[in-house]
Amino acid sequence: MRTFLSLTSKTASRPIRAHFQPQTLPRYISRTYAMGHSVPPLSDKSLLKTQTYVNGEWIDARSGQTFEVKDPSTGKLIGTQPEMNREDTEAAIRAAEAALPGFRAMTGRQRSKLRKWYDLMVENADDLAKLITWENGKPMADAKGEVAYAANFFEWFSEEAPRTYGDTIPATVAGNRVFTVKEPVGVCGLITPWNFPAAMITRKIGPALAAGCTVVAKSPGETPFTAAALAELAHRAGIPKGVVNFVTALKNTAEVGETLTSSPIVRKVSFTGSTGVGKLLMKQSADTLKKLSFELGGNAPFIVFDDADLDVAVAGAIASKFRSSGQTCVCANRLYVQKGIYDAFATAFADKVKNFKVGGGYDEGVTHGPLIHDRAVSKVQAHVDDAVSQGGKVLVGGQKMPDLGANFFQPTVIRDMTDDMKLAHEETFGPVAGLFPFATEAEVVKLANAAEVGLAGYFFSKDVQRCYRVAEALEVGMVGVNTGLISDPAAPFGGVKHSGFGREGSSLGVEEYQITKMITLGGMGQPLQGS
């Protein structure tokens, strides 16, 4: 019997404020949601699904097993989802295989009906945002931003679907005519993370469908309800059965992943997640020689030169580092500030962080929510403790927030960081900003490139020549110059080195789900008849 919490509950009569020292903590900590305030009810309660979507139908796992999904803010049960296994995944793959011939035969213009899915996301944006906040914890403002971003991928790729052009190639053999056509690669396995429960799904499904592929998507075990709501909207949009299939699992996640990577039917796997898991999936895909695109770990350098606009740089650092409480793959992880501006930047940056409001995502005015689970909190605490033990000075934050809940951690700024500290070499994936001083341009570029990963990098400078010089020198797949926000459906997203390969978004995103077929016509150089 599947259960889930009521969307309404008794509201506390007044908020309870946490005790803190104003010089070290954000100025107001909201506890209303964590203490039991109501979850705003969905306008359309049918978007809350406790089954998964395969071959156009809502189904349970064949074993009847389920797993629990809990609210990271309160630790309370949201509901359960089917604990699917190899057999369930193989059934979803067969459904996608059966749907492929008919779907790939559609014209790009017909597949552009993906636009209807976009329209339904826009119409149901508030409900989708509520689900994201509920299972992910990010504040409603962030969740609404994610829904808009996620929907835009469907809009973008609905427009790309009719424009998957081939080429005409001048042949070197007289009488031959050479051209290429783009064809869908086939059935695709998509594995997405919890930190953007909507956007990571649409960024993969959008181009796959635009190219004419069918998909089996493994939704994240921490945040499957957002994926289920998107599946319901796909059904309403008239996406043909079997074209989009969702597999859910928590305990069996590795088994599901191995089924997707080893299946000879699945011709492409796209994965967003850790570098370690990406390497494992790549090994598992080797026997079937799949096409792969991996967006893996990051350790983004964020560089502020002496000639930067201080206010712009501080705003950029806030946007990059603390969005979603630092739980993004492209967020600033190592903040390098040139010595001439270091003290001023540290003061201005810490002052901004002190004004954050931490609490449950539904509470009014909250800017930052919880981390996803206690393991994330433990890693953040370990990075802070390591920095402090080696001389780092905490300017704001630095502690867990048990009065709010087990998964809350204070937004933290630490100065006087050194390259020996864990934060310099490991992705924190949490709300901790470490400020590293540097002297010269050459020094900081060397430090920035020392990481084995290379997803995103940022720097701030008014020197136009330096902007070109440093942007070209950074060993990353994406560079933000005088901005801390680089994500855009029109822009290619992806990394280099151990951050993976392949690009998502932009026109390049469709190419990841296509093969190029070359066709040569011989004997085409005969003289015109009657001449």
Side-chain angles (χ1 to χ4, degrees):
M1 182 76 177
R2 193 170 282 103
T3 61
F4 54 87
L5 294 181
S6 168
L7 286 174
T8 60
S9 62
K10 185 176 181 180
T11 302
S13 60
R14 60 185 178 88
I16 300 175
R17 302 191 180 190
H19 297 288
F20 57 88
Q21 295 298 318
Q23 70 270 22
T24 58
L25 291 182
R27 61 186 177 89
Y28 168 71
I29 309 298
S30 168
R31 292 190 64 193
T32 56
Y33 176 59
M35 293 300 292
H37 262 208
S38 63
V39 178
L42 300 182
S43 298
D44 183 352
K45 293 181 175 58
S46 66
L47 291 177
L48 184 65
K49 299 292 186 181
T50 57
Q51 294 176 298
T52 196
Y53 187 73
V54 174
N55 203 27
E57 298 180 350
W58 291 99
I59 64 170
D60 298 316
R62 298 187 179 196
S63 66
Q65 294 184 1
T66 63
F67 64 92
E68 293 184 344
V69 181
K70 294 185 177 180
D71 180 341
S73 287
T74 65
K76 294 180 179 179
L77 180 68
I78 295 173
T80 62
Q81 287 280 318
E83 183 68 71
M84 304 181 83
N85 58 19
R86 182 181 302 276
E87 185 181 9
D88 296 302
T89 306
E90 289 173 345
I93 292 171
R94 290 193 297 271
E97 181 186 30
L100 180 63
F103 190 65
R104 70 181 296 166
M106 290 182 177
T107 66
R109 180 62 65 186
Q110 289 172 320
R111 292 195 299 271
S112 71
K113 302 307 179 184
L114 186 64
R115 172 73 187 223
K116 178 61 176 175
W117 201 353
Y118 161 80
D119 291 335
L120 288 171
M121 285 191 68
V122 173
E123 291 173 16
N124 292 276
D126 284 349
D127 279 349
L128 292 172
K130 291 170 186 175
L131 287 172
I132 291 172
T133 294
W134 200 6
E135 61 183 355
N136 171 278
K138 66 178 64 175
M140 276 291 287
D142 281 0
K144 289 179 179 179
E146 180 186 342
V147 173
Y149 177 53
N152 285 342
F153 282 108
F154 283 158
E155 180 185 43
W156 174 266
F157 286 113
S158 72
E159 296 164 349
E160 287 293 300
R163 299 179 177 85
T164 55
Y165 303 121
D167 293 305
T168 301
I169 302 169
T172 61
V173 177
N176 282 1
R177 301 294 181 265
V178 181
F179 62 95
T180 64
V181 294
K182 298 292 181 68
E183 295 182 345
V185 67
V187 176
C188 299
L190 314 177
I191 305 174
T192 61
W194 52 262
N195 58 334
F196 286 89
M200 296 300 95
I201 291 172
T202 62
R203 195 163 75 182
K204 296 181 188 298
I205 289 182
L209 269 57
C213 299
T214 57
V215 304
V216 177
K218 164 62 175 69
S219 59
E222 296 87 350
T223 57
F225 284 99
T226 302
L230 291 177
E232 170 62 19
L233 296 181
H235 187 81
R236 297 179 190 179
I239 304 297
K241 74 173 187 176
V243 170
V244 175
N245 307 277
F246 283 88
V247 177
T248 54
L250 184 63
K251 179 184 67 176
N252 295 334
T253 292
E255 180 179 328
V256 170
E258 196 275 333
T259 304
L260 291 172
T261 53
S262 63
S263 171
I265 298 172
V266 176
R267 299 307 310 151
K268 153 85 182 201
V269 168
S270 177
F271 169 70
T272 298
S274 72
T275 297
V277 173
K279 291 178 179 179
L280 175 62
L281 295 175
M282 189 171 183
K283 290 178 182 177
Q284 293 174 350
S285 301
D287 286 345
T288 51
L289 290 176
K290 291 185 181 1
K291 187 170 185 177
L292 304 172
S293 56
F294 287 167
E295 191 258 287
L296 307 177
N299 187 351
F302 186 103
I303 304 167
V304 183
F305 289 100
D306 283 345
D307 63 352
D309 183 309
L310 179 63
D311 292 337
V312 171
V314 168
I318 293 291
S320 176
K321 172 68 255 183
F322 289 106
R323 185 167 58 116
S324 297
S325 296
Q327 297 176 114
T328 77
C329 54
V330 295
C331 77
N333 201 61
R334 300 167 288 155
L335 282 74
Y336 297 106
V337 185
Q338 202 160 15
K339 291 180 177 179
I341 202 174
Y342 186 86
D343 289 337
F345 180 92
T347 299
F349 185 59
D351 285 345
K352 291 288 187 182
V353 175
K354 289 175 184 176
N355 287 322
F356 290 168
K357 294 182 180 179
V358 182
Y362 296 116
D363 287 345
E364 184 177 354
V366 163
T367 59
H368 295 79
L371 300 186
I372 191 65
H373 46 52
D374 57 355
R375 300 187 302 280
V377 174
S378 295
K379 183 176 183 180
V380 169
Q381 186 70 71
H383 279 197
V384 172
D385 292 345
D386 173 74
V388 171
S389 70
Q390 298 188 65
K393 181 181 178 182
V394 176
L395 299 181
V396 57
Q399 300 291 329
K400 298 177 184 179
M401 307 176 74
D403 286 349
L404 282 179
N407 297 330
F408 287 88
F409 196 94
Q410 298 166 1
T412 300
V413 179
I414 308 175
R415 62 168 294 159
D416 303 332
M417 298 290 292
T418 67
D419 195 49
D420 297 326
M421 298 172 182
K422 287 183 179 180
L423 194 146
H425 306 285
E426 300 177 9
E427 186 178 24
T428 304
F429 225 67
V432 179
L435 308 184
F436 298 76
F438 75 92
T440 68
E441 179 183 307
E443 174 196 358
V444 76
V445 169
K446 183 177 180 180
L447 288 168
N449 290 341
E452 66 177 10
V453 293
L455 188 57
Y458 309 85
F459 69 91
F460 286 71
S461 172
K462 293 179 183 178
D463 185 328
V464 174
Q465 291 180 326
R466 170 178 277 162
C467 287
Y468 275 92
R469 191 167 60 239
V470 174
E472 293 174 359
L474 290 176
E475 296 174 356
V476 295
M478 301 172 285
V479 180
V481 183
N482 293 321
T483 179
L485 298 175
I486 57 175
S487 297
D488 185 335
F493 191 103
V496 297
K497 300 196 290 188
H498 287 211
S499 288
F501 44 82
R503 293 297 180 266
E504 295 185 318
S506 80
S507 60
L508 300 180
V510 179
E511 293 181 8
E512 295 291 338
Y513 295 88
Q514 294 175 316
I515 58 172
T516 299
K517 177 180 283 184
M518 183 276 292
I519 301 173
T520 298
L521 300 179
M524 303 299 292
Q526 301 299 322
L528 295 175
Q529 293 185 2
S531 61

